[in-house]
């Protein structure tokens, strides 16, 4: 309600404070993010997407330059891998703190604050004079970058209806997914023709532009925060202190400490006590770990196995990028189509399990692509066969990942950011850990059997998962503790 005179007075109820409950107008309220014009929704989604691009570029841009950086800063192979992966370690822990903040104070201030934080520490990386400074600055930059993982699911859930989530997730991911290829390609050319420090300075320039753009274009999307602001405005306008929101009602009688504790521990509680979040975290964690295993070793494959230059080797990351982009486009439409069909057959009743069938093709394509990539590289088959294997792997992984993310958004509409943060914890730990053992694994087993090992694990995990979620998902969600 935009006019305090139109605010409805609630009936007295044991669980409700006496006063006037502030809600959004029905059927349309211009301040309700789900009622925004489609163009405004896409602007907010686009800002978030572009912000994600710089974060992913920075996470991968160092890969081709690791030998150069390790030589200049006197780093051994483990320390060099750490400099790349520590950024991802920060994205494991950052969302655990950032997601609750966005659900308490809103998405907008958290996005702006972390944007500036990331910018500062990314600049420091470019001026690092020793390995300790570089690793520490990468860690702190990663903490700021992690905000996108905490905010993305929440913002998309805030503004898009369930029938549109597949498409919105697909479009949102398009630009960030380019970062998986842009990072190594740009990094390869900068390393060959300039100093590696320009990797950080150039991305900082882009990030500065994004800071300004987000401040101008991003609007608050968190409905409880918007309603709290409306209630506060009504209290000031009328002098009546009885205006309250549903969020106020849920925490009525709680001390400041209790509210803070419940908020900050929510991602950890979801990960520890909610089976659906645990399953999603394990599936996406393994998938993300494999992705960064490929990202961290792909350039070296082309240099050592095929004798290509560092700059040219980076161009092969395009196959990974194109697979993910194609998966995002096809997967988004496929997710929405399946969802609408199953909802229609269920006479309008809908459940998160409507997303599950889309995960099945992914469970087949991912190991197929990994097998193809590994054995083609082992036998030094034409480069196009290797790239095709990587394309199939990333295409399948993106379809399954989008469906899984939509499933979590549907399952936790009130606390999507915290649920996303909980799953991101395992995702980032896997992305941090997998590249550390990748060189030893490929050296010991070769590309064929090393990739086969990964593919066999993908089959063992990925194929049963959709069927188990479809059968037991609703029961597991019903038994889970309240996310409040």
């Amino acid at each position: 309600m935009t006019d305090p005179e139109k605010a409805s007075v609630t009936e007295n109820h044991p669980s409700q404070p006496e006063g006037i409950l502030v809600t959004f107008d029905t059927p349309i309220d211009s301040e309700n993010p789900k009622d925004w014009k489609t163009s405004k929704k896409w602007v907010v989604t686009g800002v978030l997407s572009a912000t994600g691009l710089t974060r992913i570029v920075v996470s991968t841009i160092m890969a081709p330059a690791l030998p150069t950086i390790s030589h200049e800063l006197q780093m051994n192979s483990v320390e060099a891998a750490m400099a790349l992966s520590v950024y991802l370690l920060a994205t494991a822990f950052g969302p655990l703190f950032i997601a609750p903040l966005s659900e308490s104070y809103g998405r907008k201030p958290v996005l702006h604050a972390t944007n500036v934080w990331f910018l500062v520490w990314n600049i420091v990386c470019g001026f690092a004079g020793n390995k300790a400074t570089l690793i520490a600055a990468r860690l702190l930059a990663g903490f700021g970058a992690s905000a996108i993982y905490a905010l993305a699911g929440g913002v998309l859930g805030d503004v898009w209806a369930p029938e549109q989530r597949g498409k919105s997730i697909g479009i949102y991911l398009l630009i960030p997914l380019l970062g998986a290829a842009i990072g190594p390609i740009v990094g390869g050319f900068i390393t060959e023709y300039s100093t590696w420090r320009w990797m950080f300075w150039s991305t900082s320039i882009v990030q500065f532009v994004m800071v300004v753009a987000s401040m101008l274009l991003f609007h608050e999307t968190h409905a409880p925060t918007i309603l709290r602001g409306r209630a506060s405005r009504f209290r000031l306008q009328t002098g009546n202190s009885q205006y309250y929101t549903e969020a106020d009602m849920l925490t009525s009688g709680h001390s400041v400490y209790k509210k803070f504790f419940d908020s900050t521990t929510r991602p950890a509680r979801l990960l520890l006590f909610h089976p659906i979040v645990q399953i999603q975290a394990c599936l996406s964690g393994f998938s993300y770990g494999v992705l960064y295993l490929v990202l961290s070793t792909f350039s070296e494959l082309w240099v050592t196995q095929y004798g290509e230059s560092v700059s040219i080797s980076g161009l092969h990351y395009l196959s990974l990028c194109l697979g993910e982009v194609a998966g995002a486009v096809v997967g988004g439409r496929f997710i929405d189509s399946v969802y609408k069909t199953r909802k229609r057959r269920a006479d309008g009743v809908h459940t998160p399990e409507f997303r599950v069938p889309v995960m099945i093709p992914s469970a087949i394509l991912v190991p197929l692509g990994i097998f193809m990539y590994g054995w083609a590289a082992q036998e030094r088959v034409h480069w196009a066969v290797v790239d095709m294997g990587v394309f199939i792997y990333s295409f399948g992984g993106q379809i399954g990942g989008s469906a899984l993310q939509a499933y979590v958004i549907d399952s936790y509409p009130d606390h999507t950011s915290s649920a996303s943060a909980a799953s991101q914890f395992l995702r980032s730990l896997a992305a941090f850990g997998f590249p550390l053992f990748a060189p030893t694994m490929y050296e010991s087993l070769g590309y064929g059997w090393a990739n086969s090992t990964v593919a066999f694990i993908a089959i063992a995990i990925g194929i049963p998962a959709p069927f188990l979620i479809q059968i037991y998902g609703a029961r597991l969600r019903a038994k889970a503790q309240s996310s409040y």
Side-chain angles (χ1 to χ4, degrees):
M1 290 169 291
T2 55
D3 185 350
E5 294 299 323
K6 297 180 181 178
S8 59
V9 180
T10 63
E11 297 180 1
N12 292 337
H13 188 278
S15 64
Q16 295 178 344
E18 294 185 1
I20 304 172
L21 177 63
V22 178
T23 62
F24 288 123
D25 289 336
T26 56
I28 299 294
D29 189 319
S30 61
E31 291 187 11
N32 184 352
K34 284 190 169 63
D35 293 335
W36 286 350
K37 293 180 179 179
T38 302
S39 59
K40 186 175 181 180
K41 293 181 180 182
W42 281 122
V43 167
V44 168
T45 303
V47 169
L48 207 64
S49 183
T51 301
L53 171 66
T54 58
R55 311 301 168 86
I56 293 179
V57 166
V58 171
S59 74
T60 61
I61 197 171
M62 280 182 64
L66 285 180
T68 303
I69 296 173
S70 60
H71 175 73
E72 182 173 330
L73 300 183
Q74 299 180 337
M75 305 166 75
N76 59 39
S77 59
V78 175
E79 290 169 338
M82 178 71 73
L84 174 70
S85 299
V86 74
Y87 181 92
L88 298 164
L89 183 63
T91 64
F93 293 94
L96 298 179
F97 301 97
I98 293 171
L101 289 175
S102 77
E103 292 169 347
S104 298
Y105 303 103
R107 321 292 190 194
K108 187 175 180 178
V110 171
L111 176 65
H112 294 336
T114 55
N115 271 345
V116 174
W117 177 277
F118 169 71
L119 173 62
V120 169
W121 290 108
N122 195 56
I123 293 173
V124 173
C125 288
F127 288 98
N130 54 66
K131 58 188 177 184
T133 302
L134 177 63
I135 293 173
R138 285 279 289 175
L139 177 70
L140 292 168
F143 186 86
S146 70
I148 197 66
Y149 302 111
L151 293 174
V155 171
L156 295 178
D158 291 341
V159 302
W160 296 103
E163 294 81 3
Q164 301 169 310
R165 281 188 188 141
K167 181 180 178 181
S168 64
I169 290 173
I171 299 299
Y172 156 73
L173 289 172
L174 276 178
I175 297 177
L177 290 175
L178 294 173
I182 292 174
I185 292 172
V186 173
F189 279 98
I190 289 177
T191 301
E192 189 159 330
Y193 298 107
S194 183
T195 171
W196 60 267
R197 298 180 185 278
W198 266 107
M199 294 189 301
F200 299 105
W201 296 337
S202 60
T203 52
S204 294
I205 293 171
V206 176
Q207 175 60 16
F208 175 78
V209 174
M210 282 310 309
V211 169
V212 175
S214 66
M215 289 183 176
L216 295 174
L217 300 174
F218 189 84
H219 303 276
E220 183 57 65
T221 67
H222 189 235
T225 299
I226 295 171
L227 289 174
R228 278 197 297 268
R230 178 179 287 187
S232 177
R233 189 167 66 248
F234 287 176
R235 288 192 290 267
L236 287 173
Q237 290 174 355
T238 64
N240 184 349
S241 62
Q242 297 299 305
Y243 289 98
Y244 72 97
T245 68
E246 185 178 358
D248 296 329
M249 181 181 68
L250 291 170
T251 58
S252 178
H254 293 181
S255 65
V256 174
Y257 171 79
K258 171 68 173 171
K259 293 178 183 178
F260 177 79
F261 179 81
D262 288 346
S263 174
T264 54
T265 61
R266 186 174 295 118
R269 286 187 283 117
L270 289 173
L271 185 59
L272 291 173
F273 303 116
H274 288 241
I276 290 299
V277 174
Q278 293 168 349
I279 292 170
Q280 192 264 351
C282 290
L283 291 173
S284 61
F286 176 77
S287 176
Y288 213 55
V290 173
L291 172 63
Y292 273 84
L293 184 148
V294 174
L295 287 171
S296 65
T297 59
F298 206 42
S299 178
E300 185 179 357
L301 162 69
W302 299 106
V303 174
T304 59
Q305 292 283 93
Y306 288 82
E308 296 180 354
S309 66
V310 173
S311 57
I312 296 301
S313 71
L315 295 176
H316 292 280
Y317 284 94
L318 284 171
S319 61
L320 184 73
C321 172
L322 291 174
E324 291 189 323
V325 169
V329 174
V330 174
R333 294 180 180 275
F334 191 25
I335 291 168
D336 285 343
S337 176
V338 170
Y339 181 89
K340 291 174 183 177
T341 299
R342 298 191 71 185
K343 182 179 177 181
R344 186 170 60 252
R345 291 175 180 174
D347 296 326
V349 178
H350 60 94
T351 69
E353 282 69 37
F354 287 177
R355 311 289 187 183
V356 173
V358 183
M359 302 177 195
I360 297 174
S362 172
I364 298 170
L365 291 172
V366 167
L368 175 64
I370 295 173
F371 277 127
M372 185 175 177
Y373 155 44
W375 287 107
Q378 179 75 26
E379 301 300 325
R380 299 188 182 183
V381 179
H382 190 274
W383 60 265
V385 180
V386 180
D387 283 351
M388 179 58 68
V390 171
F391 176 91
I392 293 170
Y393 150 70
S394 58
F395 177 78
Q398 191 54 50
I399 291 176
S402 297
L404 204 55
Q405 185 170 5
Y407 181 77
V408 171
I409 292 175
D410 289 352
S411 299
Y412 295 91
D414 294 335
H415 296 124
T416 299
S417 287
S418 288
S420 299
S423 63
Q424 184 63 35
F425 180 73
L426 289 189
R427 280 161 54 96
S428 294
L429 286 183
F432 168 74
F434 277 41
L436 298 181
F437 67 74
T440 303
M441 182 181 72
Y442 282 117
E443 183 178 342
S444 302
L445 300 177
Y447 283 95
W449 282 113
N451 273 27
S452 294
T453 301
V454 174
F456 286 135
I457 297 173
I459 291 171
I461 295 174
I463 291 182
F467 300 100
L468 293 174
I469 293 174
Q470 183 66 57
I471 296 170
Y472 298 107
R475 275 178 276 181
L476 291 174
R477 285 186 291 106
K479 290 180 180 178
Q481 300 177 7
S482 169
S483 60
Y484 286 90

